[in-house]
Amino acid sequence: MKVSNQNIEIDGIDKEILRALMQDARTPILEIARGVGISGAAIHQRLRKLEKSGLISGSKFTINPKILGYTTMAFIGIYLDKAMSNPEAVKQLRKIPEVIECHYTTGNWSIFIKILCRDNEHLMQLLNKDIQSISGVSRTETFISLQQQIDRQIPI
Amino acid sequence: MKVSNQNIEIDGIDKEILRALMQDARTPILEIARGVGISGAAIHQRLRKLEKSGLISGSKFTINPKILGYTTMAFIGIYLDKAMSNPEAVKQLRKIPEVIECHYTTGNWSIFIKILCRDNEHLMQLLNKDIQSISGVSRTETFISLQQQIDRQIPI
DNA sequence: CATGAAAATGCCCCATT
DNA sequence: AATGGGGCATTTTCATG
């Protein structure tokens, strides 16, 4: 089976390459080559093709925030005044390092963010001091992630 | 300055190593070594220390879901019947590949998920066919990410 | 913790098919 | 698209400071 989109086609070998690298970005190309039974040079060519297609958007070491003391994840829905320019609010949110995701969303909230904090006191400080002080923010609704059960990418 | 937690201490060199690899997991160790001015072997030792501490939880290639046609991200709050065992619901959610995050949360919802879908029709199918059919799910509230403005890790 | 050296391994380009 | 070869870079280990 082929998955195709625009001018990009991904076959089973591409999938195996991607799956290996999605699990561990430092998997040696030659190891993948041995696994799928083609030469390293071929894997290399396919990788260049996949990168050029934009399918591979990067590779990252992932840090466990808990080790740094960030044990609490929370989601915050933000209501903005109608007059407020959303991009300006995002600009201010970007300055808060604890904000790790930020979305414009449909629904009641104008903006929806994900944050990491050390504890409830830290969370309260982020809400009251950092976020509520952004001009245009009228109200927020917060809920805490008690436990994350799934964290993955779309399967290839 | 030192960031410390339990038995782990991270100095400025560790931070430079982590920052480089968080940006690009395939950054050559020797390149980092040249940048910070110590030997490759020393970087290697530090990396092993950081891995052992659990701070580094892995490395991943990141896939751009849009290239595969997954152009829509949505968040769904799920109400579960009181009698329902949450772990069973999570088990069912795990079978849906479009579910890329799943949290137990405080607040009105029992479970909060993030999904990727191809279009609104696909979203509706996920809601009506896949999620609503999970026993114990009484109601859902959905909002769509119109645009993601921030996506990052906690800064080191 | 850091180092240099050395061995092993892998990367990446190329000509060819 | 895939292959093997080969030059060069990187990784990894080790004994030592």
Side-chain angles (χ1 to χ4, degrees):
Chain A
M1 193 195 101
K2 280 184 179 175
V3 172
S4 127
N5 183 55
Q6 301 169 59
N7 47 5
I8 169 180
E9 289 202 358
I10 295 169
D11 66 12
I13 291 177
D14 291 322
K15 288 186 188 176
E16 290 204 57
I17 296 169
L18 289 170
R19 274 195 281 257
L21 292 171
M22 285 167 77
Q23 272 197 314
D24 178 357
R26 290 189 88 98
T27 310
I29 288 179
L30 286 177
E31 194 178 306
I32 302 172
R34 286 188 291 269
V36 304
I38 64 175
S39 72
I43 304 279
H44 193 257
Q45 278 187 359
R46 283 165 175 269
L47 265 177
R48 294 205 5 101
K49 178 196 71 178
L50 290 168
E51 276 163 14
K52 228 183 63 183
S53 78
L55 216 202
I56 295 175
S57 59
S59 71
K60 305 202 180 322
F61 258 63
T62 46
I63 295 302
N64 181 355
K66 290 186 182 162
I67 303 292
L68 293 177
Y70 291 89
T71 54
T72 303
M73 183 185 290
F75 298 95
I76 304 174
I78 298 177
Y79 292 88
L80 287 184
D81 298 337
K82 287 208 179 90
M84 180 60 183
S85 95
N86 292 16
E88 179 58 26
V90 171
K91 193 175 156 194
Q92 298 304 317
L93 287 167
R94 203 180 291 277
K95 292 182 184 165
I96 306 172
E98 291 90 347
V99 174
I100 57 173
E101 286 189 34
C102 170
H103 305 258
Y104 293 129
T105 53
T106 64
N108 292 328
W109 302 320
S110 307
I111 289 178
F112 181 70
I113 66 176
K114 184 202 273 183
I115 67 171
L116 282 174
C117 45
R118 283 184 291 276
D119 47 35
N120 287 342
E121 189 180 349
H122 186 200
L123 171 57
M124 195 173 74
Q125 184 199 309
L126 284 168
L127 280 169
N128 293 342
K129 182 170 147 288
D130 296 302
I131 294 170
Q132 291 281 13
S133 73
I134 294 174
S135 88
V137 170
S138 63
R139 200 156 65 85
T140 60
E141 285 173 9
T142 302
F143 53 102
I144 294 172
S145 169
L146 298 170
Q147 198 172 34
Q148 181 160 3
Q149 293 282 341
I150 300 177
D151 185 10
R152 62 188 179 192
Q153 296 189 62
I154 212 74
I156 301 285
Chain B
M1 191 195 103
K2 282 184 181 176
V3 172
S4 128
N5 182 55
Q6 300 170 60
N7 47 5
I8 168 180
E9 289 201 358
I10 295 170
D11 66 12
I13 292 177
D14 291 321
K15 288 186 189 177
E16 291 204 55
I17 298 169
L18 289 170
R19 274 194 280 258
L21 292 171
M22 286 168 74
Q23 273 198 310
D24 178 357
R26 290 188 89 99
T27 310
I29 289 180
L30 286 176
E31 193 177 307
I32 302 172
R34 286 188 289 269
V36 306
I38 64 176
S39 70
I43 303 280
H44 194 256
Q45 279 188 359
R46 282 168 175 269
L47 265 177
R48 291 197 17 94
K49 177 197 72 179
L50 291 168
E51 275 162 17
K52 228 182 63 186
S53 77
L55 214 203
I56 296 175
S57 58
S59 71
K60 303 201 183 324
F61 258 64
T62 46
I63 295 302
N64 182 354
K66 289 185 183 164
I67 302 292
L68 294 177
Y70 291 88
T71 54
T72 303
M73 182 184 291
F75 299 95
I76 304 174
I78 299 177
Y79 292 89
L80 288 183
D81 297 337
K82 285 205 179 93
M84 179 61 183
S85 96
N86 292 16
E88 178 58 25
V90 170
K91 194 175 155 196
Q92 298 305 318
L93 287 167
R94 204 179 291 277
K95 293 182 187 168
I96 305 173
E98 290 90 346
V99 174
I100 57 173
E101 286 190 33
C102 170
H103 305 257
Y104 292 130
T105 52
T106 63
N108 293 329
W109 302 319
S110 307
I111 290 179
F112 181 70
I113 66 176
K114 185 203 273 185
I115 66 171
L116 283 174
C117 44
R118 283 184 290 277
D119 47 36
N120 287 342
E121 188 180 349
H122 185 200
L123 171 57
M124 197 174 72
Q125 183 199 310
L126 283 167
L127 280 169
N128 292 342
K129 182 170 147 287
D130 297 303
I131 295 170
Q132 291 280 12
S133 72
I134 294 173
S135 86
V137 169
S138 63
R139 199 157 65 85
T140 61
E141 285 175 9
T142 302
F143 51 103
I144 294 171
S145 168
L146 297 170
Q147 198 172 34
Q148 180 159 5
Q149 292 282 340
I150 299 178
D151 185 10
R152 61 188 181 192
Q153 294 189 63
I154 212 74
I156 300 286

